[in-house]
């Protein structure tokens, strides 16, 4: 949970990949969490993996809505499919928290192989840490 919270803060603090003009981030920064979530969901459906990760994060953390881990995982999965490193990393952390080590290892390995999709220092660090975490799981 601590790792997911740190990832959440990183995503929100750095606006993902420098998308400060993103309509969802603008709404979120104004305090309109429900509006932001609606925008992120719409952007996710249009193929924006970063938006999928933000929607998942908001659902997982209960930001503007009730906590909904099952729905959050759906958005994280979509983001992960779209090569969003944060989405894949959060799936790994959730699986680890749930003691589902085969799934956690698989997601950490997936993130480990995503270096070419890294868009910032946070992504690069997530890739490196995920490689180590994957190796540490038996």
């Amino acid at each position: 949970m601590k790792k997911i919270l740190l990832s959440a803060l990183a995503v929100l603090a750095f606006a993902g990949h420098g998308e400060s003009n993103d309509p969802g981030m603008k709404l979120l920064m104004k305090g309109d969490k429900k509006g932001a979530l609606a925008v992120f969901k719409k952007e996710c459906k249009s193929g924006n993996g970063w938006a999928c990760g933000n929607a998942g994060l908001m659902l997982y953390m209960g930001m503007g809505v009730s906590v909904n881990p099952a729905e959050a995982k759906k958005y994280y999965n979509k983001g992960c499919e779209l090569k969003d490193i944060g989405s894949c990393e959060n799936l790994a952390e959730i699986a680890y928290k749930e003691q589902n080590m085969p799934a956690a290892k698989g997601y950490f390995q997936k993130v480990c192989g995503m270096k070419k999709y890294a868009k910032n220092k946070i992504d690069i660090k997530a890739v490196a840490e995920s490689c180590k975490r994957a190796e540490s799981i038996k």
Side-chain angles (χ1 to χ4, degrees):
M1 184 62 163
K2 180 180 176 185
K3 183 75 170 178
I4 290 172
L5 180 58
L6 291 175
S7 293
L9 294 173
V11 169
L12 298 178
F14 294 102
H17 308 300
E19 299 180 35
S20 58
N21 290 323
D22 181 84
M25 285 304 300
K26 285 182 179 180
L27 289 171
L28 191 58
M29 293 169 103
K30 290 180 182 177
D32 183 359
K33 295 174 185 173
K34 289 183 180 183
L37 180 58
V39 169
F40 289 141
K41 285 181 173 183
K42 182 178 178 184
E43 290 176 349
C44 177
K45 288 180 184 174
S46 297
N48 181 334
W50 176 79
C52 298
N54 284 341
L57 174 64
M58 293 183 77
L59 291 161
Y60 193 82
M61 303 297 291
M63 297 172 69
V65 295
S66 297
V67 172
N68 191 335
E71 188 176 357
K73 287 180 190 179
K74 291 177 186 176
Y75 281 94
Y76 284 145
N77 273 309
K78 177 73 172 172
C80 190
E81 289 171 11
L82 293 169
K83 311 295 188 226
D84 178 62
I85 290 171
S87 293
C88 297
E89 183 182 27
N90 283 342
L91 285 170
E93 293 295 343
I94 291 168
Y96 191 86
K97 177 185 169 209
E98 294 173 349
Q99 299 295 306
N100 184 345
M101 294 307 153
K105 183 172 184 138
Y107 285 121
F108 282 128
Q109 288 173 328
K110 184 168 186 161
V111 175
C112 181
M114 296 177 78
K115 186 173 183 177
K116 67 182 177 183
Y117 301 107
K119 296 181 176 148
N120 54 44
K121 290 179 182 180
I122 294 168
D123 285 349
I124 293 166
K125 185 175 180 180
V127 169
E129 288 180 6
S130 291
C131 293
K132 292 176 189 172
R133 302 265 320 262
E135 288 178 19
S136 73
I137 298 173
K138 304 294 178 207

Coordinates of all heavy atoms in Angstrom, one line a residue, residues 19-30 32-56 58-59 63 65 75:
E19 N 2.0 16.0 -18.9 CA 0.8 16.4 -19.5 C 0.0 17.4 -18.7 O -1.1 17.2 -18.3 CB -0.1 15.1 -19.7 CG 0.6 14.1 -20.7 CD -0.2 12.9 -20.9 OE1 -1.4 13.0 -21.0 OE2 0.4 11.8 -21.0
S20 N 0.7 18.5 -18.4 CA 0.1 19.5 -17.5 C -1.1 20.2 -18.2 O -2.0 20.8 -17.5 CB 1.1 20.6 -17.1 OG 1.6 21.2 -18.2
N21 N -1.3 20.0 -19.5 CA -2.4 20.6 -20.2 C -3.5 19.6 -20.3 O -4.6 19.8 -20.9 CB -2.0 21.1 -21.6 CG -1.2 22.3 -21.5 OD1 -1.4 23.2 -20.6 ND2 -0.2 22.4 -22.4
D22 N -3.3 18.4 -19.7 CA -4.4 17.4 -19.7 C -5.6 17.8 -19.0 O -5.6 18.3 -17.9 CB -3.8 16.1 -19.0 CG -4.9 15.0 -19.1 OD1 -4.9 14.3 -20.1 OD2 -5.6 14.8 -18.1
P23 N -6.8 17.7 -19.7 CA -8.0 18.2 -19.0 C -8.4 17.5 -17.7 O -8.9 18.2 -16.8 CB -9.1 17.8 -20.1 CG -8.4 17.5 -21.3 CD -7.0 17.2 -21.0
G24 N -8.1 16.2 -17.6 CA -8.3 15.5 -16.3 C -7.4 16.1 -15.2 O -7.9 16.3 -14.1
M25 N -6.2 16.4 -15.5 CA -5.3 16.9 -14.5 C -5.7 18.3 -14.1 O -5.7 18.7 -12.9 CB -3.8 16.9 -15.0 CG -3.2 15.6 -15.0 SD -3.2 14.7 -13.4 CE -2.3 15.8 -12.4
K26 N -6.2 19.1 -15.1 CA -6.6 20.5 -14.8 C -7.8 20.4 -13.8 O -7.9 21.1 -12.8 CB -7.1 21.2 -16.0 CG -5.9 21.7 -16.8 CD -6.3 22.4 -18.1 CE -5.2 22.9 -18.9 NZ -5.6 23.7 -20.1
L27 N -8.8 19.5 -14.0 CA -9.9 19.3 -13.1 C -9.5 18.9 -11.8 O -10.0 19.3 -10.7 CB -10.9 18.3 -13.7 CG -11.7 18.9 -15.0 CD1 -12.5 17.7 -15.6 CD2 -12.6 20.0 -14.6
L28 N -8.6 17.9 -11.7 CA -8.1 17.4 -10.5 C -7.4 18.5 -9.7 O -7.6 18.6 -8.5 CB -7.1 16.2 -10.7 CG -6.7 15.4 -9.5 CD1 -7.9 14.8 -8.8 CD2 -5.8 14.3 -9.9
M29 N -6.6 19.3 -10.3 CA -5.9 20.4 -9.6 C -6.9 21.4 -9.1 O -6.6 22.1 -8.2 CB -4.9 21.0 -10.6 CG -3.7 20.0 -10.9 SD -2.7 20.6 -12.2 CE -1.3 21.1 -11.2
K30 N -8.0 21.5 -9.7 CA -9.1 22.5 -9.3 C -9.9 21.8 -8.2 O -10.8 22.5 -7.6 CB -10.0 22.9 -10.4 CG -9.3 23.8 -11.4 CD -10.3 24.1 -12.5 CE -9.6 25.0 -13.6 NZ -10.5 25.3 -14.7
D32 N -11.9 19.1 -8.6 CA -13.0 18.4 -9.2 C -12.6 16.9 -9.5 O -12.3 16.5 -10.6 CB -13.5 19.1 -10.5 CG -14.8 18.4 -11.1 OD1 -15.3 17.4 -10.5 OD2 -15.2 18.9 -12.1
K33 N -12.6 16.1 -8.4 CA -12.2 14.7 -8.6 C -13.1 13.9 -9.4 O -12.7 13.1 -10.3 CB -12.1 14.1 -7.2 CG -11.0 14.7 -6.4 CD -10.9 14.2 -4.9 CE -9.9 14.9 -4.1 NZ -9.9 14.6 -2.7
K34 N -14.4 14.1 -9.3 CA -15.4 13.3 -10.1 C -15.3 13.7 -11.6 O -15.3 12.8 -12.4 CB -16.8 13.5 -9.6 CG -17.1 12.8 -8.3 CD -18.5 13.0 -7.8 CE -18.6 12.2 -6.5 NZ -20.0 12.3 -6.0
G35 N -15.1 14.9 -11.8 CA -14.9 15.4 -13.2 C -13.6 14.8 -13.8 O -13.6 14.4 -14.9
A36 N -12.6 14.9 -13.0 CA -11.3 14.3 -13.4 C -11.4 12.9 -13.7 O -10.9 12.4 -14.8 CB -10.2 14.6 -12.4
L37 N -12.0 12.1 -12.9 CA -12.2 10.7 -13.1 C -12.9 10.4 -14.4 O -12.5 9.5 -15.2 CB -12.9 10.0 -11.9 CG -13.1 8.5 -12.0 CD1 -11.8 7.8 -12.2 CD2 -13.8 8.0 -10.8
A38 N -14.0 11.2 -14.6 CA -14.7 11.0 -15.9 C -13.9 11.2 -17.1 O -13.9 10.5 -18.1 CB -16.0 11.9 -15.9
V39 N -13.0 12.3 -17.0 CA -12.1 12.6 -18.2 C -11.1 11.5 -18.3 O -10.9 11.0 -19.4 CB -11.5 13.9 -18.0 CG1 -10.3 14.2 -19.0 CG2 -12.5 15.1 -18.1
F40 N -10.5 11.0 -17.2 CA -9.5 9.9 -17.3 C -10.1 8.7 -17.9 O -9.5 8.0 -18.7 CB -8.9 9.7 -16.0 CG -8.0 10.7 -15.5 CD1 -7.9 11.1 -14.1 CD2 -7.1 11.4 -16.3 CE1 -7.1 12.1 -13.6 CE2 -6.3 12.4 -15.9 CZ -6.3 12.8 -14.5
K41 N -11.3 8.3 -17.5 CA -12.0 7.2 -18.0 C -12.2 7.3 -19.5 O -12.0 6.4 -20.3 CB -13.3 6.9 -17.3 CG -13.2 6.3 -15.9 CD -14.6 6.1 -15.3 CE -14.5 5.4 -14.0 NZ -15.9 5.1 -13.5
K42 N -12.6 8.5 -19.9 CA -12.9 8.7 -21.4 C -11.6 8.6 -22.2 O -11.5 8.0 -23.2 CB -13.5 10.1 -21.6 CG -13.9 10.4 -23.0 CD -14.6 11.8 -23.1 CE -14.9 12.1 -24.6 NZ -15.4 13.4 -24.7
E43 N -10.5 9.3 -21.6 CA -9.2 9.2 -22.3 C -8.7 7.8 -22.4 O -8.1 7.4 -23.3 CB -8.2 10.1 -21.6 CG -8.5 11.6 -21.8 CD -7.6 12.5 -21.0 OE1 -6.8 12.0 -20.1 OE2 -7.6 13.7 -21.2
C44 N -9.0 7.0 -21.3 CA -8.5 5.6 -21.3 C -9.2 4.9 -22.4 O -8.5 4.1 -23.1 CB -8.9 5.0 -19.9 SG -8.4 3.3 -19.8
K45 N -10.5 5.0 -22.6 CA -11.2 4.4 -23.6 C -10.7 4.7 -25.0 O -10.8 4.0 -26.0 CB -12.7 4.7 -23.5 CG -13.4 4.0 -22.4 CD -14.9 4.3 -22.3 CE -15.4 3.6 -21.0 NZ -16.8 4.0 -20.8
S46 N -10.1 5.9 -25.1 CA -9.5 6.4 -26.4 C -8.1 5.9 -26.6 O -7.4 6.3 -27.5 CB -9.5 7.9 -26.4 OG -10.8 8.4 -26.4
G47 N -7.5 5.1 -25.6 CA -6.2 4.5 -25.8 C -5.1 5.2 -25.1 O -3.9 5.0 -25.4
N48 N -5.4 6.0 -24.1 CA -4.4 6.7 -23.3 C -4.1 5.9 -22.1 O -4.8 6.0 -21.1 CB -4.9 8.2 -23.0 CG -3.8 9.0 -22.2 OD1 -3.0 8.5 -21.5 ND2 -4.0 10.3 -22.4
G49 N -3.0 5.2 -22.1 CA -2.6 4.4 -20.9 C -2.3 5.1 -19.7 O -2.7 4.7 -18.6
W50 N -1.8 6.3 -19.8 CA -1.5 7.2 -18.6 C -2.8 7.5 -17.9 O -2.9 7.5 -16.7 CB -0.7 8.4 -19.1 CG -0.5 9.4 -18.0 CD1 0.5 9.4 -17.1 CD2 -1.2 10.6 -17.8 NE1 0.4 10.5 -16.3 CE2 -0.6 11.3 -16.7 CE3 -2.3 11.2 -18.5 CZ2 -1.1 12.5 -16.3 CZ3 -2.7 12.5 -18.0 CH2 -2.1 13.1 -16.9
A51 N -3.8 7.8 -18.7 CA -5.2 8.2 -18.2 C -5.8 7.0 -17.5 O -6.4 7.1 -16.5 CB -6.1 8.7 -19.3
C52 N -5.6 5.8 -18.1 CA -6.1 4.6 -17.5 C -5.5 4.4 -16.1 O -6.2 4.1 -15.1 CB -5.7 3.3 -18.3 SG -6.4 3.3 -20.0
G53 N -4.2 4.6 -16.0 CA -3.5 4.5 -14.7 C -4.0 5.5 -13.7 O -4.2 5.2 -12.5
N54 N -4.3 6.7 -14.2 CA -4.9 7.7 -13.2 C -6.3 7.4 -12.8 O -6.6 7.6 -11.6 CB -4.9 9.1 -13.9 CG -3.5 9.7 -13.9 OD1 -2.6 9.3 -13.2 ND2 -3.3 10.7 -14.8
A55 N -7.1 6.8 -13.7 CA -8.4 6.4 -13.3 C -8.3 5.3 -12.3 O -9.0 5.2 -11.3 CB -9.2 5.9 -14.6
G56 N -7.4 4.3 -12.6 CA -7.2 3.2 -11.6 C -6.8 3.7 -10.3 O -7.3 3.3 -9.2
M58 N -7.3 6.7 -8.9 CA -8.4 7.4 -8.2 C -9.4 6.4 -7.6 O -9.9 6.5 -6.5 CB -9.1 8.3 -9.2 CG -8.2 9.5 -9.5 SD -9.0 10.7 -10.6 CE -10.0 11.6 -9.3
L59 N -9.7 5.3 -8.4 CA -10.6 4.3 -7.9 C -10.0 3.5 -6.8 O -10.7 3.2 -5.8 CB -11.0 3.3 -9.1 CG -11.9 4.0 -10.1 CD1 -11.8 3.2 -11.4 CD2 -13.3 4.1 -9.6
M63 N -10.5 8.4 -4.5 CA -10.4 9.9 -4.7 C -11.6 10.4 -5.5 O -11.7 10.3 -6.7 CB -9.1 10.2 -5.5 CG -7.9 9.8 -4.7 SD -6.4 10.0 -5.7 CE -6.3 11.7 -5.9
V65 N -14.6 9.2 -5.3 CA -15.5 8.1 -5.4 C -15.2 7.1 -4.2 O -14.2 7.2 -3.6 CB -15.4 7.3 -6.7 CG1 -15.8 8.2 -7.9 CG2 -14.0 6.8 -6.9
Y75 N -8.9 -0.8 -14.8 CA -8.2 0.3 -15.5 C -6.7 0.2 -15.5 O -6.0 0.5 -16.5 CB -8.6 1.7 -14.8 CG -10.0 2.1 -15.3 CD1 -11.1 1.8 -14.6 CD2 -10.1 2.8 -16.5 CE1 -12.4 2.1 -15.1 CE2 -11.4 3.2 -17.0 CZ -12.5 2.8 -16.2 OH -13.7 3.2 -16.7

